[in-house]
Coordinates of all heavy atoms in Angstrom, one line a residue:
M5 N 0.8 -1.2 0.0 CA 0.0 0.0 0.0 C 0.9 1.3 0.0 O 0.6 2.2 -0.7 CB -0.9 0.0 1.2 CG -1.9 1.0 1.3 SD -3.1 0.9 -0.1 CE -4.4 1.7 0.5
I6 N 2.0 1.2 0.8 CA 2.8 2.4 0.9 C 3.5 2.6 -0.5 O 3.6 3.8 -1.0 CB 3.9 2.2 2.0 CG1 3.2 2.2 3.3 CG2 4.9 3.3 1.9 CD1 4.1 1.9 4.5
K7 N 4.0 1.5 -1.1 CA 4.7 1.7 -2.4 C 3.7 2.2 -3.4 O 4.1 3.0 -4.3 CB 5.2 0.3 -2.9 CG 6.5 -0.1 -2.1 CD 7.0 -1.4 -2.6 CE 8.2 -1.8 -1.8 NZ 8.8 -3.0 -2.3
K8 N 2.4 1.8 -3.4 CA 1.4 2.2 -4.3 C 1.2 3.7 -4.2 O 1.1 4.5 -5.2 CB 0.1 1.5 -4.1 CG -1.0 1.9 -5.0 CD -2.3 1.1 -4.7 CE -3.4 1.5 -5.5 NZ -4.6 0.8 -5.2
N9 N 1.2 4.2 -2.9 CA 1.0 5.7 -2.7 C 2.2 6.5 -3.1 O 2.0 7.6 -3.6 CB 0.7 5.9 -1.2 CG -0.7 5.4 -0.8 OD1 -1.6 5.3 -1.6 ND2 -0.9 5.1 0.5
I10 N 3.4 5.9 -3.0 CA 4.6 6.6 -3.4 C 4.6 6.7 -4.9 O 4.9 7.8 -5.5 CB 5.8 5.8 -2.9 CG1 6.0 6.0 -1.4 CG2 7.1 6.4 -3.6 CD1 7.1 5.2 -0.8
R11 N 4.2 5.6 -5.6 CA 4.1 5.7 -7.1 C 3.1 6.7 -7.6 O 3.2 7.3 -8.7 CB 3.8 4.3 -7.7 CG 5.0 3.4 -7.6 CD 4.8 2.1 -8.4 NE 3.8 1.3 -7.8 CZ 4.1 0.3 -7.0 NH1 5.3 0.1 -6.6 NH2 3.1 -0.5 -6.5
K12 N 2.0 6.9 -6.9 CA 0.9 7.8 -7.3 C 1.3 9.3 -7.0 O 0.7 10.2 -7.6 CB -0.4 7.5 -6.5 CG -1.1 6.3 -7.0 CD -2.3 5.8 -6.2 CE -3.1 6.9 -5.7 NZ -4.3 6.4 -5.0
F13 N 2.3 9.5 -6.1 CA 2.7 10.9 -5.8 C 3.3 11.6 -7.0 O 4.2 11.1 -7.6 CB 3.7 10.9 -4.6 CG 4.2 12.3 -4.3 CD1 3.4 13.1 -3.5 CD2 5.4 12.7 -4.6 CE1 3.8 14.4 -3.1 CE2 5.9 14.0 -4.3 CZ 5.0 14.8 -3.5
N14 N 2.7 12.8 -7.3 CA 3.2 13.5 -8.4 C 3.5 15.0 -8.1 O 3.4 15.9 -8.9 CB 2.3 13.4 -9.7 CG 1.0 14.0 -9.4 OD1 0.7 14.4 -8.3 ND2 0.1 14.0 -10.4
G15 N 3.8 15.2 -6.8 CA 4.2 16.6 -6.4 C 3.2 17.2 -5.5 O 2.0 16.8 -5.5
F16 N 3.6 18.2 -4.7 CA 2.7 18.9 -3.8 C 1.8 19.8 -4.7 O 2.2 20.2 -5.8 CB 3.5 19.8 -2.8 CG 4.2 19.0 -1.8 CD1 5.6 19.3 -1.4 CD2 3.6 18.0 -1.0 CE1 6.2 18.7 -0.4 CE2 4.3 17.3 0.0 CZ 5.6 17.7 0.2
N17 N 0.7 20.1 -4.1 CA -0.3 20.9 -4.9 C -0.3 22.4 -4.5 O -1.3 23.1 -4.6 CB -1.7 20.3 -4.8 CG -2.2 20.3 -3.4 OD1 -1.4 20.6 -2.5 ND2 -3.4 19.8 -3.2
F18 N 0.9 22.9 -4.1 CA 1.0 24.4 -3.8 C 2.2 24.9 -4.6 O 3.0 24.2 -5.1 CB 1.2 24.6 -2.3 CG 2.3 23.9 -1.6 CD1 3.6 24.3 -1.6 CD2 2.0 22.7 -1.0 CE1 4.6 23.7 -1.0 CE2 3.0 22.0 -0.3 CZ 4.3 22.5 -0.4
K19 N 2.2 26.2 -4.7 CA 3.3 26.9 -5.5 C 4.4 27.3 -4.6 O 4.3 27.3 -3.4 CB 2.7 28.1 -6.2 CG 1.6 27.8 -7.2 CD 2.1 27.0 -8.3 CE 0.9 26.6 -9.2 NZ 1.2 25.6 -10.1
K20 N 5.5 27.7 -5.2 CA 6.8 28.0 -4.5 C 6.6 29.3 -3.6 O 7.2 29.4 -2.6 CB 7.9 28.2 -5.4 CG 9.3 28.3 -4.8 CD 10.4 28.3 -5.8 CE 11.7 28.3 -5.0 NZ 12.8 28.1 -5.9
D21 N 5.8 30.2 -4.0 CA 5.6 31.5 -3.3 C 4.4 31.4 -2.3 O 3.9 32.5 -1.9 CB 5.5 32.6 -4.3 CG 4.4 32.5 -5.3 OD1 3.9 31.3 -5.4 OD2 4.1 33.5 -5.9
S22 N 3.9 30.3 -2.0 CA 2.7 30.2 -1.1 C 3.1 30.0 0.4 O 4.3 29.8 0.7 CB 1.9 29.0 -1.5 OG 2.6 27.8 -1.2
E23 N 2.1 30.1 1.2 CA 2.3 30.0 2.6 C 2.7 28.6 3.0 O 3.5 28.3 3.9 CB 1.0 30.4 3.4 CG 1.1 30.4 4.9 CD -0.1 30.8 5.6 OE1 -0.9 31.6 5.0 OE2 -0.4 30.3 6.7
E24 N 2.1 27.6 2.3 CA 2.5 26.2 2.5 C 3.9 25.9 2.3 O 4.6 25.2 3.0 CB 1.7 25.3 1.5 CG 0.2 25.3 1.8 CD -0.2 24.2 2.8 OE1 0.6 23.2 2.9 OE2 -1.3 24.3 3.4
Y25 N 4.5 26.5 1.2 CA 5.9 26.4 0.9 C 6.8 26.9 2.1 O 7.7 26.2 2.5 CB 6.3 27.2 -0.3 CG 7.7 27.0 -0.8 CD1 8.1 25.9 -1.6 CD2 8.7 27.9 -0.4 CE1 9.4 25.8 -2.0 CE2 10.0 27.7 -0.8 CZ 10.3 26.7 -1.6 OH 11.6 26.5 -2.0
T26 N 6.5 28.0 2.6 CA 7.3 28.5 3.8 C 7.1 27.7 5.0 O 8.0 27.5 5.8 CB 6.9 30.0 4.1 OG1 5.5 30.0 4.4 CG2 7.2 30.9 3.0
K27 N 5.9 27.1 5.2 CA 5.7 26.1 6.3 C 6.6 24.9 6.2 O 7.2 24.5 7.1 CB 4.3 25.7 6.4 CG 3.3 26.7 7.0 CD 1.9 26.1 7.0 CE 0.9 27.2 7.5 NZ -0.4 26.6 7.5
K28 N 6.7 24.4 5.0 CA 7.6 23.2 4.7 C 9.0 23.6 4.9 O 9.8 22.8 5.5 CB 7.4 22.7 3.3 CG 6.0 22.2 3.0 CD 5.7 21.0 3.7 CE 4.3 20.5 3.3 NZ 3.7 19.5 4.2
V29 N 9.4 24.8 4.6 CA 10.8 25.2 4.7 C 11.1 25.3 6.2 O 12.2 24.9 6.7 CB 11.1 26.5 4.0 CG1 12.5 27.1 4.4 CG2 11.0 26.3 2.5
T30 N 10.2 25.9 7.0 CA 10.5 26.0 8.4 C 10.5 24.7 9.1 O 11.3 24.5 10.1 CB 9.4 26.9 9.1 OG1 8.1 26.4 8.9 CG2 9.5 28.3 8.6
V31 N 9.7 23.7 8.7 CA 9.8 22.4 9.3 C 11.1 21.7 8.9 O 11.8 21.1 9.8 CB 8.6 21.5 8.8 CG1 8.8 20.1 9.1 CG2 7.3 22.0 9.4
A32 N 11.5 21.9 7.7 CA 12.8 21.3 7.2 C 14.0 21.9 7.9 O 15.0 21.2 8.1 CB 12.9 21.4 5.7
Q33 N 13.9 23.2 8.3 CA 15.0 23.8 9.0 C 15.3 23.1 10.4 O 16.5 23.2 10.8 CB 14.7 25.3 9.3 CG 14.7 26.2 8.1 CD 16.1 26.5 7.6 OE1 17.0 26.3 8.3 NE2 16.1 26.9 6.4
K34 N 14.4 22.4 10.9 CA 14.6 21.7 12.2 C 15.4 20.4 12.0 O 15.9 19.9 13.0 CB 13.2 21.4 12.9 CG 12.5 22.7 13.2 CD 11.1 22.4 13.8 CE 10.4 23.7 14.0 NZ 9.0 23.4 14.5
F35 N 15.5 19.9 10.8 CA 16.2 18.7 10.6 C 17.7 18.9 10.7 O 18.2 20.0 10.4 CB 15.9 18.1 9.2 CG 14.5 17.6 9.0 CD1 14.0 17.4 7.7 CD2 13.7 17.3 10.0 CE1 12.8 16.9 7.5 CE2 12.4 16.8 9.8 CZ 12.0 16.6 8.6
E36 N 18.4 17.9 11.1 CA 19.9 17.9 11.1 C 20.4 17.8 9.7 O 19.7 17.2 8.8 CB 20.5 16.8 12.0 CG 20.1 17.0 13.5 CD 20.7 15.9 14.3 OE1 21.7 15.2 13.9 OE2 20.2 15.7 15.4
M37 N 21.6 18.2 9.5 CA 22.2 18.2 8.1 C 22.3 16.7 7.6 O 22.1 16.5 6.5 CB 23.6 18.9 8.2 CG 24.1 19.2 6.9 SD 23.2 20.5 6.1 CE 24.3 21.0 4.8
K38 N 22.7 15.8 8.5 CA 22.9 14.4 8.1 C 21.5 13.8 7.6 O 21.5 13.0 6.7 CB 23.5 13.5 9.2 CG 22.6 13.4 10.4 CD 23.4 12.5 11.5 CE 22.5 12.4 12.7 NZ 23.2 11.6 13.7
H39 N 20.4 14.2 8.2 CA 19.1 13.7 7.7 C 18.8 14.3 6.4 O 18.2 13.6 5.5 CB 18.0 14.0 8.8 CG 18.2 13.3 10.1 ND1 18.4 13.9 11.3 CD2 18.3 12.0 10.3 CE1 18.6 13.0 12.2 NE2 18.5 11.8 11.7
L40 N 19.1 15.6 6.2 CA 18.8 16.2 4.9 C 19.6 15.6 3.8 O 19.1 15.4 2.7 CB 19.1 17.7 5.0 CG 18.2 18.6 5.9 CD1 18.7 20.0 6.0 CD2 16.8 18.6 5.4
K41 N 20.9 15.2 4.1 CA 21.7 14.6 3.1 C 21.2 13.2 2.8 O 21.3 12.8 1.6 CB 23.1 14.6 3.6 CG 23.8 16.0 3.5 CD 25.3 15.9 3.8 CE 25.8 17.3 3.6 NZ 27.3 17.3 3.7
S42 N 20.7 12.5 3.8 CA 20.1 11.2 3.5 C 18.9 11.3 2.7 O 18.6 10.4 1.8 CB 19.9 10.4 4.8 OG 18.7 10.6 5.4
I43 N 18.1 12.3 2.9 CA 16.9 12.5 2.0 C 17.3 12.8 0.6 O 16.7 12.3 -0.4 CB 16.0 13.7 2.6 CG1 15.4 13.3 3.9 CG2 15.0 14.1 1.6 CD1 14.7 14.4 4.7
C44 N 18.4 13.6 0.4 CA 18.9 13.9 -0.9 C 19.4 12.6 -1.6 O 19.1 12.4 -2.8 CB 20.1 14.9 -0.8 SG 19.6 16.6 -0.5
E45 N 20.0 11.7 -0.8 CA 20.5 10.5 -1.4 C 19.3 9.6 -1.8 O 19.3 9.0 -2.9 CB 21.3 9.7 -0.3 CG 22.0 8.6 -0.9 CD 23.0 8.0 0.1 OE1 23.5 8.7 0.9 OE2 23.2 6.7 0.1
M46 N 18.2 9.6 -1.0 CA 17.0 8.8 -1.4 C 16.4 9.4 -2.7 O 15.8 8.6 -3.5 CB 16.0 8.8 -0.3 CG 16.4 7.9 0.9 SD 15.1 7.8 2.1 CE 15.6 9.1 3.2
L47 N 16.3 10.7 -2.8 CA 15.7 11.3 -3.9 C 16.6 11.5 -5.1 O 16.2 12.0 -6.1 CB 15.1 12.7 -3.5 CG 14.1 12.7 -2.4 CD1 13.7 14.1 -2.0 CD2 12.9 11.9 -2.8
D48 N 17.8 11.0 -5.0 CA 18.8 11.1 -6.1 C 19.1 12.6 -6.4 O 19.1 13.0 -7.6 CB 18.4 10.3 -7.3 CG 19.6 10.1 -8.2 OD1 20.7 10.1 -7.8 OD2 19.3 9.9 -9.4
L49 N 19.3 13.4 -5.4 CA 19.7 14.8 -5.5 C 21.1 15.1 -5.1 O 21.7 14.3 -4.3 CB 18.7 15.7 -4.7 CG 17.2 15.6 -5.0 CD1 16.4 16.3 -4.0 CD2 16.9 16.1 -6.4
L50 N 21.7 16.2 -5.5 CA 23.0 16.6 -5.0 C 23.0 16.8 -3.5 O 22.0 17.4 -3.0 CB 23.5 17.9 -5.7 CG 23.7 17.7 -7.2 CD1 24.1 19.1 -7.8 CD2 24.9 16.8 -7.5
K51 N 24.0 16.4 -2.8 CA 24.1 16.5 -1.3 C 24.9 17.7 -0.9 O 25.0 17.9 0.3 CB 24.6 15.2 -0.7 CG 23.7 14.0 -1.0 CD 24.3 12.8 -0.2 CE 25.5 12.2 -1.0 NZ 25.9 11.0 -0.4
N52 N 25.6 18.4 -1.8 CA 26.5 19.4 -1.4 C 25.8 20.8 -1.3 O 24.7 20.9 -1.8 CB 27.7 19.5 -2.3 CG 27.3 19.7 -3.8 OD1 26.1 19.8 -4.1 ND2 28.3 19.9 -4.6
G53 N 26.4 21.7 -0.6 CA 25.8 23.0 -0.5 C 25.4 23.3 1.0 O 25.6 22.5 1.9
T54 N 24.9 24.5 1.2 CA 24.5 24.9 2.5 C 23.2 24.3 2.9 O 22.5 23.7 2.0 CB 24.4 26.4 2.7 OG1 23.3 26.9 1.8 CG2 25.7 27.2 2.3
K55 N 22.8 24.4 4.2 CA 21.6 23.8 4.6 C 20.4 24.4 3.9 O 19.5 23.6 3.5 CB 21.4 24.0 6.1 CG 20.3 23.3 6.8 CD 20.3 23.4 8.3 CE 19.2 22.6 8.9 NZ 19.3 22.6 10.4
D56 N 20.4 25.7 3.7 CA 19.3 26.3 3.0 C 19.2 25.9 1.5 O 18.1 25.7 1.0 CB 19.4 27.9 3.0 CG 19.3 28.4 4.4 OD1 18.5 27.8 5.2 OD2 19.9 29.5 4.7
E57 N 20.3 25.7 0.9 CA 20.3 25.2 -0.5 C 19.8 23.8 -0.6 O 19.0 23.5 -1.5 CB 21.7 25.3 -1.1 CG 22.3 26.7 -1.3 CD 23.8 26.7 -1.7 OE1 24.4 25.6 -1.5 OE2 24.2 27.7 -2.1
I58 N 20.2 23.0 0.3 CA 19.7 21.6 0.3 C 18.2 21.5 0.6 O 17.5 20.8 -0.1 CB 20.5 20.7 1.4 CG1 21.9 20.6 0.9 CG2 19.8 19.4 1.6 CD1 22.8 19.9 1.9
I59 N 17.7 22.3 1.5 CA 16.3 22.3 1.8 C 15.5 22.8 0.6 O 14.5 22.2 0.2 CB 16.0 23.2 3.0 CG1 16.5 22.5 4.3 CG2 14.5 23.5 3.2 CD1 16.5 23.4 5.5
E60 N 16.0 23.8 -0.1 CA 15.3 24.3 -1.3 C 15.3 23.3 -2.4 O 14.3 23.1 -3.0 CB 16.0 25.6 -1.7 CG 15.3 26.3 -2.9 CD 15.9 27.6 -3.3 OE1 16.8 28.1 -2.6 OE2 15.5 28.1 -4.4
R61 N 16.4 22.6 -2.5 CA 16.5 21.6 -3.6 C 15.5 20.4 -3.3 O 14.9 20.0 -4.2 CB 18.0 21.0 -3.5 CG 18.3 20.2 -4.7 CD 19.8 19.8 -4.7 NE 20.7 20.9 -4.7 CZ 21.7 21.0 -3.9 NH1 22.0 20.1 -3.0 NH2 22.5 22.1 -3.9
I62 N 15.4 20.0 -2.0 CA 14.5 18.9 -1.7 C 13.0 19.4 -1.9 O 12.3 18.6 -2.6 CB 14.7 18.5 -0.2 CG1 16.0 17.8 0.0 CG2 13.6 17.6 0.2 CD1 16.4 17.6 1.4
I63 N 12.7 20.5 -1.4 CA 11.3 21.0 -1.6 C 10.9 21.3 -3.0 O 9.8 20.9 -3.5 CB 11.0 22.2 -0.6 CG1 11.2 21.7 0.8 CG2 9.6 22.7 -0.8 CD1 11.0 22.8 1.8
D64 N 11.9 21.8 -3.8 CA 11.6 22.1 -5.2 C 11.4 20.7 -5.9 O 10.5 20.6 -6.8 CB 12.8 22.8 -5.8 CG 12.8 24.3 -5.4 OD1 11.8 24.8 -4.9 OD2 13.8 25.0 -5.7
F65 N 12.2 19.7 -5.6 CA 12.0 18.4 -6.2 C 10.6 17.8 -5.8 O 9.9 17.3 -6.7 CB 13.0 17.4 -5.7 CG 12.8 16.0 -6.2 CD1 13.2 15.7 -7.5 CD2 12.2 15.1 -5.4 CE1 13.0 14.4 -8.0 CE2 12.0 13.8 -5.9 CZ 12.4 13.4 -7.2
L66 N 10.2 18.0 -4.6 CA 8.9 17.5 -4.1 C 7.7 18.3 -4.7 O 6.6 17.7 -4.8 CB 8.8 17.5 -2.6 CG 9.7 16.5 -1.9 CD1 9.7 16.7 -0.4 CD2 9.4 15.1 -2.3
L67 N 8.0 19.5 -5.2 CA 6.9 20.2 -5.9 C 6.7 19.6 -7.3 O 5.6 19.5 -7.8 CB 7.3 21.7 -6.0 CG 7.1 22.5 -4.8 CD1 7.7 23.9 -5.0 CD2 5.7 22.6 -4.3
E68 N 7.8 19.3 -8.0 CA 7.8 18.7 -9.3 C 8.8 17.6 -9.4 O 9.9 17.8 -9.9 CB 8.2 19.8 -10.4 CG 7.0 20.6 -10.8 CD 7.5 21.5 -12.0 OE1 7.8 21.0 -13.1 OE2 7.5 22.7 -11.8
P69 N 8.5 16.4 -9.0 CA 9.4 15.3 -9.0 C 9.7 14.9 -10.5 O 8.7 14.8 -11.3 CB 8.7 14.1 -8.3 CG 7.4 14.6 -8.0 CD 7.2 16.0 -8.3
K70 N 10.9 14.6 -10.8 CA 11.3 14.2 -12.1 C 12.3 13.0 -12.0 O 13.0 12.9 -11.1 CB 12.1 15.3 -12.9 CG 11.3 16.5 -13.1 CD 12.1 17.6 -13.8 CE 11.7 18.9 -13.4 NZ 12.4 19.5 -12.2
D71 N 12.2 12.1 -13.0 CA 13.1 10.9 -13.0 C 14.5 11.4 -13.4 O 14.7 12.2 -14.3 CB 12.6 9.9 -14.0 CG 13.4 8.6 -14.0 OD1 14.2 8.4 -13.1 OD2 13.1 7.8 -15.0
S72 N 15.5 10.9 -12.6 CA 16.9 11.3 -12.9 C 17.4 10.6 -14.1 O 18.4 11.0 -14.7 CB 17.8 11.0 -11.7 OG 17.8 9.6 -11.5
G73 N 16.8 9.5 -14.5 CA 17.3 8.7 -15.7 C 18.3 7.7 -15.3 O 18.7 6.9 -16.2
K74 N 18.8 7.6 -14.1 CA 19.7 6.6 -13.6 C 19.0 5.3 -13.4 O 17.9 5.3 -13.0 CB 20.4 7.1 -12.4 CG 21.3 8.3 -12.5 CD 22.0 8.6 -11.2 CE 22.9 9.8 -11.3 NZ 23.4 10.2 -10.0
S75 N 19.7 4.2 -13.7 CA 19.1 2.9 -13.5 C 19.1 2.6 -12.0 O 20.0 3.0 -11.2 CB 19.8 1.8 -14.3 OG 21.1 1.7 -13.7
V76 N 18.1 1.9 -11.6 CA 17.9 1.5 -10.2 C 18.6 0.2 -10.0 O 18.5 -0.7 -10.8 CB 16.4 1.4 -9.9 CG1 16.2 1.0 -8.4 CG2 15.7 2.7 -10.2
G77 N 19.1 0.0 -8.8 CA 19.8 -1.3 -8.4 C 18.8 -2.5 -8.5 O 17.6 -2.3 -8.4
G78 N 19.3 -3.6 -8.7 CA 18.5 -4.8 -9.0 C 18.0 -5.6 -7.8 O 17.8 -6.8 -7.8
G79 N 17.8 -4.9 -6.7 CA 17.2 -5.6 -5.5 C 18.3 -6.4 -4.7 O 19.4 -5.9 -4.5
R80 N 17.9 -7.6 -4.3 CA 18.8 -8.4 -3.5 C 19.9 -9.0 -4.3 O 19.7 -9.5 -5.4 CB 17.9 -9.5 -3.0 CG 18.6 -10.4 -2.0 CD 17.7 -11.4 -1.4 NE 18.4 -12.2 -0.4 CZ 17.9 -13.2 0.2 NH1 16.7 -13.6 -0.1 NH2 18.6 -13.9 1.1
P81 N 21.1 -8.9 -3.8 CA 22.3 -9.4 -4.6 C 22.2 -10.9 -4.6 O 21.7 -11.6 -3.8 CB 23.5 -8.9 -3.8 CG 23.0 -8.6 -2.4 CD 21.5 -8.3 -2.6
K82 N 22.8 -11.5 -5.7 CA 22.9 -12.9 -5.9 C 23.8 -13.6 -4.9 O 24.8 -13.0 -4.5 CB 23.4 -13.3 -7.3 CG 22.6 -12.6 -8.4 CD 21.3 -13.4 -8.5 CE 20.5 -12.8 -9.7 NZ 19.2 -13.3 -9.8
R83 N 23.5 -14.8 -4.4 CA 24.4 -15.5 -3.5 C 25.5 -16.1 -4.3 O 25.3 -16.7 -5.4 CB 23.6 -16.6 -2.8 CG 22.5 -16.0 -1.9 CD 21.8 -17.0 -1.1 NE 22.7 -17.7 -0.2 CZ 22.3 -18.6 0.6 NH1 21.1 -19.0 0.7 NH2 23.2 -19.1 1.4
T84 N 26.7 -16.1 -3.8 CA 27.8 -16.7 -4.5 C 27.9 -18.1 -4.1 O 27.4 -18.6 -3.1 CB 29.1 -15.9 -4.1 OG1 29.3 -16.1 -2.7 CG2 29.0 -14.5 -4.4
A85 N 28.7 -18.9 -4.9 CA 28.9 -20.3 -4.7 C 29.6 -20.5 -3.4 O 29.4 -21.5 -2.7 CB 29.7 -20.9 -5.9
A86 N 30.5 -19.6 -3.0 CA 31.3 -19.7 -1.8 C 30.4 -19.7 -0.6 O 30.5 -20.4 0.4 CB 32.3 -18.6 -1.7
V87 N 29.4 -18.8 -0.6 CA 28.4 -18.8 0.5 C 27.6 -20.0 0.6 O 27.4 -20.6 1.7 CB 27.5 -17.5 0.3 CG1 26.4 -17.5 1.4 CG2 28.3 -16.2 0.4
R88 N 27.2 -20.6 -0.5 CA 26.4 -21.8 -0.6 C 27.2 -23.0 -0.1 O 26.7 -23.8 0.7 CB 25.9 -22.1 -2.0 CG 24.7 -21.2 -2.3 CD 24.0 -21.7 -3.6 NE 23.9 -20.4 -4.4 CZ 24.3 -20.2 -5.6 NH1 24.9 -21.2 -6.3 NH2 24.1 -19.1 -6.2
A89 N 28.5 -23.0 -0.5 CA 29.3 -24.1 -0.1 C 29.6 -24.1 1.5 O 29.6 -25.1 2.1 CB 30.7 -24.1 -0.8
N90 N 29.7 -22.9 2.0 CA 30.0 -22.7 3.4 C 28.7 -23.1 4.2 O 28.9 -23.6 5.3 CB 30.3 -21.2 3.7 CG 30.8 -21.0 5.1 OD1 31.3 -21.9 5.8 ND2 30.6 -19.8 5.6
N91 N 27.6 -22.9 3.7 CA 26.3 -23.2 4.4 C 26.0 -24.7 4.4 O 25.3 -25.2 5.2 CB 25.2 -22.4 3.8 CG 25.2 -20.9 4.2 OD1 25.9 -20.6 5.2 ND2 24.5 -20.1 3.4
R92 N 26.6 -25.4 3.5 CA 26.3 -26.9 3.4 C 26.9 -27.6 4.6 O 26.3 -28.6 5.0 CB 27.0 -27.5 2.1 CG 26.2 -27.2 0.9 CD 26.9 -27.9 -0.3 NE 26.5 -27.2 -1.5 CZ 27.3 -27.2 -2.6 NH1 28.4 -27.8 -2.6 NH2 26.9 -26.6 -3.6
G93 N 27.9 -27.1 5.2 CA 28.6 -27.8 6.3 C 27.8 -27.7 7.6 O 28.0 -28.4 8.5
K94 N 26.8 -26.8 7.6 CA 26.1 -26.6 8.9 C 24.9 -27.5 9.1 O 24.2 -27.9 8.4 CB 25.7 -25.1 9.0 CG 26.8 -24.2 9.1 CD 26.4 -22.8 9.3 CE 27.6 -21.9 9.6 NZ 27.3 -20.6 9.8

């Protein structure tokens, strides 16, 4: 259900110069820098810059999300033969 809602999300329904935008910025100001950078990593955004620049980058992306074009990892990694051979002895 959560993944379905994430796929349906196509951006916030307010504009950059609205009161809602300033509320989101003030909420994001309370986050620590390491949390903001991890959000950037999840959204495939640049992690460098000042705190204000990162917050603006995140909220601007959430207003109009766009695909970065990078391929997504293939899920769970394959088990190697060495791991399987090691597990046989147990």
Side-chain angles (χ1 to χ4, degrees):
M5 186 66 156
I6 292 172
K7 288 182 181 181
K8 181 180 176 184
N9 289 336
I10 290 172
R11 284 191 291 269
K12 285 174 36 177
F13 178 75
N14 62 355
F16 290 135
N17 58 357
F18 54 84
K19 301 295 178 195
K20 191 170 182 172
D21 56 346
S22 68
E23 184 179 328
E24 291 271 340
Y25 183 86
T26 56
K27 285 182 184 178
K28 298 291 182 193
V29 170
T30 55
V31 168
Q33 287 288 343
K34 297 176 185 175
F35 291 163
E36 294 180 20
M37 194 68 163
K38 64 181 179 180
H39 293 118
L40 292 171
K41 287 187 178 189
S42 85
I43 292 170
C44 284
E45 191 172 328
M46 284 186 266
L47 299 176
D48 196 25
L49 301 172
L50 293 174
K51 297 184 284 187
N52 57 356
T54 64
K55 187 173 186 176
D56 293 330
E57 290 171 347
I58 292 174
I59 290 170
E60 184 177 350
R61 194 175 302 133
I62 291 170
I63 296 176
D64 286 346
F65 175 82
L66 292 174
L67 286 172
E68 274 187 67
K70 296 180 216 88
D71 187 11
S72 67
K74 293 182 183 176
S75 64
V76 180
R80 187 174 181 189
K82 303 285 184 191
R83 295 182 66 177
T84 63
V87 172
R88 282 189 228 127
N90 188 26
N91 288 339
R92 284 187 203 149
K94 292 185 177 183

